[in-house]
Amino acid sequence: MVDILNSLTLLTNYIIIPGLTYGSQLALGALGITMVYAVLRFSNFAHGELMSFGAMSTILITWLFQSYGLTFGFLPTALLAIPFAATITILYCLATNSLVYEYYREKKIDPTTYLIISVGVLFFTAGLIRFIIGPDDRKFNDGNRFILKAREFKELTGLNEGLAIKTTQGITIGITICLVILLFWFLNRTRTGKSMRAYSDNEDLALLSGINPKKVVIITWVITGILATVAGALYGLDKSYKPFIYMYLVLPVFASAILGGVGNPIGAIVGGYVIAFSELIFTFAYKKVAGYLLPESLAPTGLIQFLSTDYKIAVSFVILVIVLLVKPTGIFSGKTI
Amino acid sequence: MIFVKNLSKNFGGIKAVSNASLTINEGSITGLIGPNGAGKTTLFNVIAGVYPPSHGKVFLENENITHLPPHELFARGLMRTFQIAHEFSSLTVRENLMMVPENQSGEKLIDIWIRPSNIKKEEAEITKKANEVMDFLQLSSLANEFAGNLSGGQKKLLELGRTMMVEPKVVFLDEVGAGVNRTLLSTIGEAIQRLNRDLGYTFCMIEHDMEFISRLCDPVIVMAEGTVLAEGTAEEIKENQSVIEAYLGTGQKNKKLR
């Protein structure tokens, strides 16, 4: 019995909690991509950099707050900074929209060209970020580091294995739940959300029903800006902020969006968690778990690991390839929101 | 009401509409007929602001509306339906109808937070209106069905219902009767006549069913090869030689349009 509890603790500590955290970050990112795809009808490769931009803004504002001695008690100061950072990111999104995307939207350019344009925005944004904050690694997490420490858990339960929950993990999961509920409420209950869904569903009819396309586009960018900032800042808080990492993060984020069915918000969320959990499940070493569960004579000598953690990112691509082969529209056949 | 002056629209080398001029009088149900490829739908699209015209102008009550985008034309009381019924497939029938009235207070994000009671009141009114429209069109049993699941004929009814959610000045109906059975067609016809008589809507409709046209429309405008060929009552049109030629080709002059 104790062995089973020990192995469950191990799995919770190394797979379930990190999976929920990483999955939430991917889901928020994928939601942003999906919103842009559904309403503006292009794959926004610059989304990773938007997340980076949001995280950078959060850091700068956090520093500003800290220099005035403003902190958020046991929670990270960054949480106070996120609303301001989101505002900055929204302004940046709207600037790229009116300077770049709108011109091409009026020309009714095809989605492939749009994709390349978004790559252009990606590189510009990446350059801008390096110009502002530099390429170095930044840590901006303050407040308490743990909600539950491994040692406390061991003392509390008397198990061999510890369970640690980092503050950032708790915050990530909590904020994601709130934001997702808010987003779905917005899309399904408010008139503006419904007109966004209508525009996404049938653009011609929406225009002829008096829905102002400019307004829909602006609101989409506002939502995208908020999602990108929160996703980027949470990822940065959880790991640490490296400007370059977001260019790679955008790949599993895209995989999540496509896996769930691009354009479908529920799909984006499910996709995020599926990708996160499969990465962890396939790269976790089960040696200790097997040690607890199997009789001593059968205890394994190897690590019992499917793949080395170096191949973590490859897992998402294998899943992506399988999805594209078996069901190209994704789990929840996407396209509209 | 609507005045179209020397309108042309080219797609590459194809002249879809060339130098067409026509007038739609207030309070009329104007029929627009013509063989396939005569430019009827293109004309509708140009009037409704979907395409800019290559040449020419469109006026609504003496205001030049030629280059206005569709949602602003909507605000001025111009509505249209589509040849192939359009709907918001992931919204329910009721939500499709409730989508129509513009400038609802729920659109302002601030109001959602500070004046939720206003929005509730307004939405209750719009819901009531939507329910009335669904009753009128016998769609009530489908109120909570996703519009994407409706049959072709039901989607046509929904299109007509959409025009009833607001009080438009002029409604353009693009083959509202196509693919609709006789019973439903007479329901639609009656609805159009009632809207025209009781609420004073002006209609302009593309139709192929001559019987339907003669019952509803006065005047009837005939288009062929992108231009206006003839105009008159349904009876006059049926007798018109050039119209018969346009429909049946030359050498068949003795045959009449049925």
Side-chain angles (χ1 to χ4, degrees), chain A residues 9-296:
Chain A
T9 311
L10 252 180
L11 290 178
T12 313
N13 195 23
Y14 289 104
I15 294 187
I16 295 177
I17 289 175
L20 284 175
T21 313
Y22 183 44
S24 305
Q25 291 152 359
L26 290 185
L28 288 178
L31 271 176
I33 283 175
T34 265
M35 294 298 290
V36 172
Y37 187 87
V39 181
L40 309 178
R41 297 184 172 77
F42 71 97
S43 305
N44 185 11
F45 271 86
H47 195 78
E49 292 310 313
L50 279 183
M51 286 162 68
S52 182
F53 190 92
M56 177 195 75
S57 315
T58 310
I59 293 174
L60 294 177
I61 291 169
T62 306
W63 285 346
L64 185 75
F65 283 171
Q66 284 169 340
S67 70
Y68 284 102
L70 187 67
T71 55
F72 201 10
F74 64 94
L75 292 169
T77 317
L79 283 188
L80 282 180
I82 283 178
F84 300 95
T87 316
I88 297 174
T89 314
I90 289 168
L91 291 177
Y92 182 73
C93 286
L94 292 176
T96 54
N97 176 53
S98 56
L99 291 175
V100 186
Y101 295 124
E102 193 157 272
Y103 172 78
Y104 291 101
R105 185 162 44 248
E106 272 164 17
K107 289 198 154 189
K108 294 196 193 302
I109 216 135
D110 70 22
T112 340
T113 319
Y114 237 127
L115 188 149
I116 300 299
I117 294 161
S118 83
V119 173
V121 174
L122 182 165
F123 285 119
F124 175 78
T125 315
L128 186 69
I129 290 165
R130 262 177 266 177
F131 182 71
I132 295 175
I133 202 169
D136 300 334
D137 203 351
R138 310 273 178 185
K139 275 203 189 304
F140 60 111
N141 187 8
D142 53 3
N144 287 5
R145 262 178 60 69
F146 288 97
I147 295 174
L148 182 66
K149 285 182 181 152
R151 193 164 42 79
E152 288 171 358
F153 181 82
K154 281 187 202 167
E155 281 166 7
L156 208 68
T157 56
L159 294 171
N160 286 341
E161 294 300 331
L163 177 66
I165 303 175
K166 283 197 280 182
T167 316
T168 53
Q169 292 174 323
I171 288 172
T172 304
I173 297 167
I175 288 186
T176 307
I177 293 170
C178 297
L179 209 58
V180 166
I181 290 174
L182 209 65
L183 180 68
F184 278 83
W185 171 79
F186 173 78
L187 286 177
N188 291 311
R189 289 276 170 271
T190 68
R191 160 81 189 176
T192 315
K194 280 183 191 170
S195 53
M196 269 178 76
R197 283 167 61 208
Y199 184 84
S200 153
D201 194 332
N202 189 330
E203 190 179 343
D204 292 337
L205 184 55
L207 293 182
L208 295 168
S209 307
I211 292 170
N212 185 342
K214 287 210 167 120
K215 208 168 141 185
V216 171
V217 169
I218 286 173
I219 289 170
T220 309
W221 281 118
V222 168
I223 293 174
T224 309
I226 294 172
L227 288 169
T229 310
V230 175
L234 290 176
Y235 188 81
L237 267 180
D238 194 29
K239 309 284 192 307
S240 75
Y241 177 73
K242 294 192 197 85
F244 296 114
I245 207 80
Y246 292 88
M247 222 185 268
Y248 299 99
L249 187 64
V250 78
L251 300 174
V253 166
F254 251 102
S256 314
I258 295 169
L259 171 65
V262 67
N264 185 322
I266 298 173
I269 295 164
V270 173
Y273 289 108
V274 170
I275 296 275
F277 276 105
S278 14
E279 282 191 6
L280 289 165
I281 287 169
F282 280 104
T283 56
F284 180 63
Y286 291 91
K287 185 184 179 196
K288 262 183 147 179
V289 179
Y292 281 118
L293 294 179
L294 297 172
E296 218 159 301

Side-chain angles (χ1 to χ4, degrees), chain A residues 185-186 188 190-192 194-195 197-198 201-202 204-213 215 336-337, chain B residues 48 70-71 74 80 82 86-91 95 98-102 104 106-109 112 159 162:
Chain A
W185 171 79
F186 173 78
N188 291 311
T190 68
R191 160 81 189 176
T192 315
K194 280 183 191 170
S195 53
R197 283 167 61 208
D201 194 332
N202 189 330
D204 292 337
L205 184 55
L207 293 182
L208 295 168
S209 307
I211 292 170
N212 185 342
K215 208 168 141 185
T336 57
I337 56 170
Chain B
H71 67 275
F74 174 89
R80 72 165 297 190
F82 292 88
H86 279 34
E87 75 289 331
F88 299 125
S89 51
S90 62
L91 300 179
E95 282 175 330
M98 289 175 67
M99 205 69 212
V100 178
E102 59 154 15
Q104 296 179 27
E107 278 176 50
K108 295 193 196 83
L109 288 179
I112 296 173
E159 289 245 300
R162 196 174 290 120

Side-chain angles (χ1 to χ4, degrees), chain B residues 110-135:
Chain B
I110 299 165
D111 283 2
I112 296 173
W113 303 104
I114 61 168
R115 282 159 49 190
S117 60
N118 271 27
I119 295 176
K120 268 223 175 90
K121 213 174 100 193
E122 196 183 279
E123 287 207 337
E125 277 167 25
I126 296 171
T127 311
K128 194 169 148 243
K129 176 92 185 167
N131 290 342
E132 284 168 14
V133 169
M134 285 186 293
D135 272 343

